[in-house]
Amino acid sequence: MTSTSAASPPAPGPRRVAMVTVHTSPLAQPGTGDAGGMNVYVLEVARQLARAGTAVDLFTRATSASQPDVVQVEPGVVVRHVPAGPYEGLSKEELPGQLCAFAAGMMRVAAHAPAGYYDLVHSHYWLSGQVGWLAADRWGVPLVHSMHTMARVKNLHLADGDEPEPRGREIGEVQVVEAADRLVANTRREADELVELYDAEPERVAVAEPGVDLATFTPGSRAEARAVLGLPPDAVLLLFVGRVQPLKGPDVLVRAAAELARRRPDLRERLVVAVLGGASGSGVRTPMGLEDLAARLGIGDRLRVVPPVERATLAQWYRAADAVAVPSHSESFGLVAVEAQACGAPVVAANVGGLPTAVGDAGVLVDGHDTADWATALGRVALDAERRRVLGRRGAEHAQGFGWARTAEKLLAVYRGALAAPKDVSIHDAQRLRDVPPAVIP
């Protein structure tokens, strides 16, 4: 007789996570300022974690006197605005001087709660990692950190005219890598970069790919989307979505579109080059001047610069596009690419960072940022209806593997691994902390 034993139940996950995102609020509109894919990531995984039974308190810097101290997004998800420095006028580069004030604000919140209120700290971006390191050490809980972008990677792939990341950021990132119990990478390539460029211990690095809102970003009628957006039915629409800064490469699309119009003069009057987003980073300090660039290249009347839009409207732009360009010089993942594919839009992306993972074999990857190469790649997609159809179908299927629930499941596995060996806390004390019942703090 063969006996079988029941599988061991999974290790318990955290009841409540303190999630830290110092420099940008998860409630901010993506596409302008410092708000981008990370904002979407943080809020969406928090929602999925809460629905799976892990409550999340999101700590972010207050940037307006009118912001409430606490915003409940949904049951189990709370955003806490922490005063740290002047509300307005501080750039991301100036925030290191406010980390102490931010950490003190987090400590004050936790001081009103019972011991063991937070089981784990998850920090996003290196500034948050510095604060998360202090909080996790003070509370005797594990620190999980997501880099999202890394100075040493960005400095290896600078766009023309862009500014290198400062040495102080590199030092801060190294410190966070050393302090974290677990590091979460968006892709296997990012995981390798953490090991190769930051000497991270491989066993502490896990991969959890970002997701996409598959209920909002769905395939739909291109004709209907164009009617909603007021676009000509016969337009050749080349679309860029994201922050307007050299790193993201919107100028690559403008130059390639001008070259395509030069090659095919008959297309010029149908061409629409749409840039959805606002200035960010070095693009604020030194505006990219896309309108001037387009005018110099002879397509000034073909360019539309559109402020960031809410997600339902963004989905319509994706559906309306003949090709979505993602010409980033560095990209930890490339959420725009997956959103576009989920809507059935063909994607042409730079072969950098996490974009090969995001795009898979369902899109077109371009090596480098040469204008002629991009014009050729965009033309082969935008002007070939059958190829657009095939890429759109394959892209929509590919995007189905990137739901946010899947991301949250992987994060919970990372959390359980970190909790299985809490740092600097005895087994007895760890159990005592976990036995503290949940509470509500103001």
Side-chain angles (χ1 to χ4, degrees):
M1 179 180 294
T2 303
S3 61
T4 59
S5 58
S8 300
R15 295 161 310 159
R16 187 179 301 274
V17 170
M19 202 167 279
V20 191
T21 170
V22 172
H23 79 283
T24 180
S25 170
L27 301 180
Q29 168 67 52
T32 190
D34 290 318
M38 194 185 94
N39 299 66
V40 177
Y41 180 107
V42 169
L43 187 58
E44 291 300 327
V45 297
R47 285 175 163 151
Q48 294 296 333
L49 289 169
R51 293 167 191 174
T54 294
V56 180
D57 280 13
L58 290 155
F59 291 86
T60 191
R61 194 178 79 88
T63 55
S64 170
S66 63
Q67 286 175 322
D69 293 339
V70 179
V71 177
Q72 180 166 338
V73 178
E74 64 177 67
V77 180
V78 170
V79 174
R80 298 185 179 277
H81 293 111
V82 179
Y87 291 123
E88 298 175 355
L90 280 183
S91 68
K92 183 168 61 176
E93 290 74 21
E94 294 172 303
L95 289 181
Q98 300 304 319
L99 296 184
C100 183
F102 189 95
M106 280 187 64
M107 297 300 114
R108 281 193 292 270
V109 170
H112 291 284
Y117 187 70
Y118 297 110
D119 295 322
L120 181 141
V121 176
H122 187 172
S123 53
H124 297 267
Y125 193 68
W126 78 275
L127 293 170
S128 302
Q130 291 281 318
V131 174
W133 174 17
L134 175 62
D137 187 66
R138 173 66 180 84
W139 300 334
V141 300
L143 172 64
V144 174
H145 181 71
S146 296
M147 296 290 270
H148 292 283
T149 64
M150 294 179 278
R152 290 176 176 173
V153 175
K154 292 178 73 172
N155 287 344
L156 288 172
H157 304 282
L158 284 177
D160 290 341
D162 208 356
E163 302 170 5
E165 294 297 316
R167 184 167 178 267
R169 175 180 172 180
E170 287 193 40
I171 294 170
E173 288 178 342
V174 169
Q175 291 171 332
V176 173
V177 167
E178 291 176 349
D181 296 271
R182 293 292 187 276
L183 294 159
V184 179
N186 286 334
T187 63
R188 173 47 53 190
R189 184 167 183 171
E190 184 183 346
D192 292 340
E193 289 167 341
L194 279 165
V195 174
E196 295 165 5
L197 299 179
Y198 288 86
D199 294 324
E201 297 174 8
E203 62 272 17
R204 290 192 295 117
V205 181
V207 176
E209 298 88 352
V212 63
D213 180 356
L214 295 172
T216 299
F217 297 105
T218 60
S221 166
R222 184 174 68 150
E224 290 178 9
R226 293 184 172 197
V228 168
L229 298 172
L231 295 167
D234 65 342
V236 177
L237 175 59
L238 306 180
L239 176 64
F240 169 93
V241 175
R243 289 172 286 164
V244 178
Q245 61 180 141
L247 177 72
K248 299 294 183 179
D251 58 306
V252 175
L253 172 59
V254 173
R255 296 177 191 279
E259 172 64 15
L260 191 59
R262 186 192 66 79
R263 295 178 184 178
R264 292 282 305 272
D266 58 306
L267 295 176
R268 189 190 180 287
E269 296 307 312
R270 295 168 51 207
L271 185 65
V272 177
V273 183
V275 175
L276 268 67
S280 174
S282 59
V284 174
R285 295 184 294 276
T286 307
M288 294 192 70
L290 295 181
E291 293 91 344
D292 291 342
L293 174 63
R296 291 198 306 272
L297 296 174
I299 59 166
D301 59 335
R302 303 291 86 201
L303 176 67
R304 295 192 186 186
V305 179
V306 181
V309 297
E310 47 83 30
R311 288 196 288 185
T313 303
L314 177 57
Q316 295 284 37
W317 276 99
Y318 288 139
R319 294 177 191 125
D322 289 294
V324 176
V326 190
S328 304
H329 292 266
S330 177
E331 197 72 64
S332 65
F333 181 65
L335 191 57
V336 164
V338 185
E339 289 176 347
Q341 287 184 321
C343 291
V347 171
V348 179
N351 188 14
V352 299
L355 283 169
T357 299
V359 172
D361 60 359
V364 176
L365 293 171
V366 181
D367 293 324
H369 295 84
D370 179 76
T371 296
D373 292 343
W374 274 85
T376 298
L378 287 167
R380 286 175 177 170
V381 172
L383 305 180
D384 186 333
E386 177 60 18
R387 193 173 191 207
R388 289 200 311 270
R389 186 190 68 79
V390 171
L391 289 175
R393 175 181 54 77
R394 284 164 49 185
E397 293 172 354
H398 175 71
Q400 292 302 306
F402 291 98
W404 285 115
R406 178 174 176 265
T407 307
E409 287 176 6
K410 292 192 173 187
L411 285 180
L412 281 171
V414 175
Y415 293 169
R416 292 186 185 104
L419 287 167
K423 62 175 183 179
D424 300 329
V425 179
S426 70
I427 294 175
H428 172 77
D429 286 343
Q431 184 60 50
R432 175 181 58 78
L433 292 177
R434 290 191 58 76
D435 286 342
V436 176
V440 176
I441 57 177

